[in-house]
Amino acid sequence: MIIYIHGFGSSGFGGKASLFREYFEDEVITPSLSYVPNLAIDTLEQIIEAFLNKDEKVALVGSSLGGFYSIYLANKYNLKAVLINPAVYPYKTLDKIGMAMNYYDGSSFEVTKEHIDSLKAIEVTQIENQENFLTLLQTEDEVLDYSEAADKLNESELIIEEGGNHSFENIESYFRKIGSFLGV
């Protein structure tokens, strides 16, 4: 089972999540996660453990903040993961925010110091088994500096595409490669 982990302020109904559901059908789930990091991680751990307890194979696809979560979870459970323009230092990016908006329903929420601290607490400083990661980056990401992810994940299977944006233009052109990498 592939668990698609959306980015900050997004949902399991976002554009990329919908594309993944359309292509991978019943091989993917796209949960909508809380903006509170501890709650999001707890939800994901429960989902992963439920599948693993049924002896099902689990793989992750994480976009932006979902990539950060995927690094943590893939290391904890020794899973394969595809990272799409991952946030590798989200506590730096989000530390500037305060009030933020959910892109799916337009609701607003506040990013607190506790949220930032909880992100720092799950940071993986030494990524184990980088061969378990496929990292997809676009150089014109307007939110994150792609080179930070390239540096941190330099031993992963790394694809750096010129241009693009934070959403990762034409992600669907990589679906076959993603499926092959994850073994689905």
Side-chain angles (χ1 to χ4, degrees):
M1 179 60 61
I2 299 170
I3 303 169
Y4 174 83
I5 306 172
H6 64 76
F8 179 78
S10 190
S11 77
F13 297 102
K16 274 194 298 295
S18 297
L19 291 171
F20 272 88
R21 276 195 316 276
E22 184 178 308
Y23 184 86
F24 289 100
E25 297 177 338
D26 59 355
E27 292 293 322
V28 67
I29 61 171
T30 61
S32 293
L33 301 167
S34 173
Y35 66 89
V36 178
N38 288 342
L39 294 177
I41 289 294
D42 181 63
T43 299
L44 292 165
E45 288 176 338
Q46 288 183 50
I47 293 168
I48 291 167
E49 289 172 15
F51 282 117
L52 292 177
N53 287 337
K54 293 179 181 181
D55 291 323
E56 290 195 40
K57 182 179 172 186
V58 176
L60 307 173
V61 173
S63 178
S64 191
L65 181 60
F68 180 78
Y69 291 160
S70 293
I71 292 168
Y72 169 76
L73 295 164
N75 271 274
K76 180 174 181 175
Y77 295 100
N78 194 28
L79 304 174
K80 284 197 158 199
V82 174
L83 310 174
I84 303 167
N85 284 337
V88 291
Y89 306 111
Y91 48 84
K92 292 180 183 177
T93 309
L94 297 178
D95 199 27
K96 304 170 190 143
I97 288 189
M99 291 305 291
M101 183 182 80
N102 180 294
Y103 300 111
Y104 176 69
D105 66 10
S107 62
S108 61
F109 56 92
E110 184 178 5
V111 177
T112 67
K113 181 182 181 321
E114 290 76 23
H115 298 156
I116 301 302
D117 290 344
S118 63
L119 289 171
K120 289 177 183 174
I122 63 167
E123 179 179 20
V124 178
T125 53
Q126 186 62 42
I127 298 174
E128 301 294 325
N129 304 321
Q130 283 204 29
E131 67 274 4
N132 285 346
F133 294 91
L134 167 61
T135 307
L136 304 174
L137 303 171
Q138 288 187 330
T139 61
E140 294 299 317
D141 185 331
E142 69 280 8
V143 176
L144 302 170
D145 179 352
Y146 80 94
S147 67
E148 290 180 340
D151 289 343
K152 187 163 186 164
L153 293 147
N154 64 347
E155 294 178 30
S156 71
E157 184 172 341
L158 189 59
I159 296 174
I160 301 174
E161 193 175 278
E162 292 295 321
N165 59 32
H166 185 61
S167 292
F168 201 99
E169 290 179 353
N170 301 313
I171 187 61
E172 59 275 16
S173 68
Y174 286 96
F175 283 170
R176 181 176 277 166
K177 173 135 183 90
I178 290 168
S180 175
F181 180 80
L182 297 178
V184 296

